[in-house]
Amino acid sequence: MSEKNGTPANPAGSTGPRPEPLRFFGTTWVDHDNGYTARRVAVAIGSLATAAASCLVLRFAYEGLQIAEVGSFVAVLVVVMFAVCSALAFRHTWDAFTKRPDPDRQASLRGLLAIGFVGSLLAYFFRSLTEAPGEKLHRQEYEAARAQHEMRLTRRTGNPAKKRRGA
């Protein structure tokens, strides 16, 4: 399959399924071409660096709580909140790479995912070490769509008007 600007080229007259582009990868995940490996490395480094920078910002926020002398209970509560939300966000993001999340559940978890953004960044980092995040899910859906399209094409061979009728 040839590709230009991240969009796969279908043969002339083909109406087959097109792969869904992934964030940062376009459709390079289909054939692992056009800098796919370099993109994976860049995504891994970028997500890890962003997670590290985010932890540094959270540390400054914690030091701000210490300077404000809000008390140990509030400080522990904030640390536990970020830890729990990060763990839940990691798990939710990791699961979203293998199955489509429910839109209603996604909307209800938006605040939790925003608080636990470090967990989401770490899930993105770990998944990009083995594949483009979401590649497995998209590949399964794309292969199923291609197989279904092929079955539809092969069922339509022949002229139904010339079909022999049994008596």
Side-chain angles (χ1 to χ4, degrees):
M1 177 179 287
S2 63
E3 194 170 302
K4 287 185 181 179
N5 298 331
T7 305
N10 280 352
S14 175
T15 59
R18 296 180 145 248
E20 187 177 341
L22 291 174
R23 180 182 292 154
F24 305 121
F25 293 91
T27 55
T28 61
W29 61 268
V30 175
D31 294 323
H32 293 189
D33 59 354
N34 291 341
Y36 170 82
T37 304
R39 290 177 194 223
R40 264 192 39 214
V41 169
V43 164
I45 291 171
S47 61
L48 186 61
T50 305
S54 299
C55 287
L56 185 64
V57 169
L58 289 175
R59 180 170 180 233
F60 289 146
Y62 180 78
E63 287 177 2
L65 291 174
Q66 295 296 340
I67 292 170
E69 298 178 3
V70 293
S72 61
F73 177 74
V74 173
V76 169
L77 192 64
V78 168
V79 169
V80 169
M81 177 196 61
F82 273 106
V84 169
C85 289
S86 291
L88 292 172
F90 179 92
R91 181 63 183 187
H92 178 76
T93 304
W94 191 264
D95 287 344
F97 294 142
T98 56
K99 62 182 178 183
R100 296 267 180 194
D102 178 35
D104 294 332
R105 184 169 184 263
Q106 184 84 6
S108 67
L109 291 176
R110 187 167 293 137
L112 180 130
L113 295 174
I115 294 169
F117 62 98
V118 174
S120 292
L121 288 169
L122 290 175
Y124 216 77
F125 166 72
F126 286 119
R127 182 58 81 159
S128 64
L129 293 177
T130 57
E131 68 175 6
E135 177 181 346
K136 183 177 181 181
L137 172 66
H138 284 75
R139 187 169 300 283
Q140 289 172 345
E141 291 174 349
Y142 179 60
E143 304 260 335
R146 284 181 48 198
Q148 187 179 26
H149 180 72
E150 289 297 321
M151 285 178 50
R152 275 188 269 143
L153 285 180
T154 56
R155 275 191 272 161
R156 294 183 188 166
T157 58
N159 185 350
K162 292 183 179 180
K163 196 183 249 186
R164 290 181 62 183
R165 304 277 181 209

